[in-house]
Amino acid sequence: MWRAQHFSWWMTSMLHGLDGDDPYEAKLQTATLRYLASSRAYATSLTENYVGLPLS
């Protein structure tokens, strides 16, 4: 349950900015997206979480 909650928060914060975000937050978001695009391991982790983790 908590893993799914964290993934949802992480995915939302990676793809959407909030009003009032400072330049640091914007750079952090860009860096995360760049890392996702360049790292097969990171992309695999996102994919595994997106399609669902085993319940056990």
Side-chain angles (χ1 to χ4, degrees):
M1 169 75 178
W2 287 109
R3 182 70 208 124
Q5 289 287 340
H6 179 262
F7 176 75
S8 179
W9 166 82
W10 174 78
M11 188 77 153
T12 301
S13 66
M14 180 178 63
L15 297 175
H16 303 281
L18 297 173
D19 289 341
D21 278 355
D22 60 20
Y24 173 81
E25 293 292 334
K27 288 184 185 274
L28 186 59
Q29 184 180 31
T30 300
T32 301
L33 289 167
R34 284 189 177 149
Y35 182 51
L36 179 62
S38 67
S39 170
R40 185 176 183 106
Y42 204 46
T44 299
S45 177
L46 178 138
T47 303
E48 288 173 349
N49 283 276
Y50 188 80
V51 299
L53 297 171
L55 295 176
S56 56

